[in-house]
């Protein structure tokens, strides 16, 4: 029974990595650690109105639909962690995959997106 449970569990983990293109998701606590101790770039890929309504401090804003044409703006952050943020954490994967494809090795998605950040009571700023 233990072996079957281990195989099923491992398969589910592998499936989530394959469907996400190998992009890791981090919780808010880990994101804060990356930002505070590893000088991570926060990349907000929500649309303009969502970003203006409130975003993480010092976040760089490039809407998800423009990331393919604007990723080069982030070139100087290639060797640093990049925390990608979206509204619910779902569409950030596309932007993350574009960065990964272009040589960014430490790209992570914020699990639950901006909603999880708000629920945790973490700081937000408005433009």
């Amino acid at each position: 029974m233990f072996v079957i449970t281990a195989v099923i569990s491992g398969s589910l983990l592998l499936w989530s990595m394959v469907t996400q293109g190998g992009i890791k998701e981090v919780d808010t606590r880990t994101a804060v650690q990356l930002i505070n101790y590893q000088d991570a770039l926060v990349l907000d890929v929500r649309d303009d109105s969502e970003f203006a309504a409130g975003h993480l401090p010092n976040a760089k804003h490039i809407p998800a639909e423009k990331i393919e044409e604007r990723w080069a703006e982030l070139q100087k952050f290639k060797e640093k962690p990049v925390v990608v943020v979206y509204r619910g954490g779902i569409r950030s994967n596309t932007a993350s995959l574009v960065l990964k494809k272009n040589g960014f090795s430490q790209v992570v998605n914020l699990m639950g997106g901006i909603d999880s950040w708000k629920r945790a009571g973490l700081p937000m700023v408005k433009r």
Side-chain angles (χ1 to χ4, degrees):
M1 188 63 146
F2 177 73
V3 173
I4 293 171
T5 303
V7 169
I8 291 172
S9 178
S11 297
L12 291 173
L13 286 172
L14 183 59
W15 176 253
S16 69
M17 284 182 62
V18 169
T19 57
Q20 291 181 8
I23 304 297
K24 181 179 175 184
E25 288 192 331
V26 297
D27 61 11
T28 54
R29 183 181 54 81
T30 303
V32 168
Q33 290 174 342
L34 288 170
I35 295 164
N36 289 343
Y37 300 114
Q38 295 185 35
D39 199 25
L41 167 69
V42 175
L43 177 62
D44 194 317
V45 296
R46 297 175 300 148
D47 67 32
D48 294 337
S49 62
E50 290 172 318
F51 184 79
H55 54 273
L56 278 67
N58 302 313
K60 171 82 172 155
H61 178 234
I62 300 178
E65 60 275 358
K66 296 181 180 176
I67 195 72
E68 189 75 56
E69 61 198 51
R70 293 183 53 193
W71 70 266
E73 294 174 26
L74 308 173
Q75 193 79 347
K76 67 182 179 184
F77 301 102
K78 249 185 174 174
E79 302 304 319
K80 293 186 179 227
V82 178
V83 179
V84 180
V85 179
Y86 198 75
R87 183 169 168 254
I90 298 168
R91 284 192 279 173
S92 60
N93 199 55
T94 303
S96 298
L97 289 172
V98 169
L99 295 177
K100 199 85 154 161
K101 177 180 83 173
N102 287 290
F104 291 78
S105 59
Q106 300 179 63
V107 180
V108 296
N109 291 338
L110 178 61
M111 188 184 317
I114 197 75
D115 295 339
S116 67
W117 191 266
K118 288 178 188 175
R119 279 192 303 275
L122 293 164
M124 300 273 295
V125 295
K126 290 186 179 183
R127 216 194 287 187

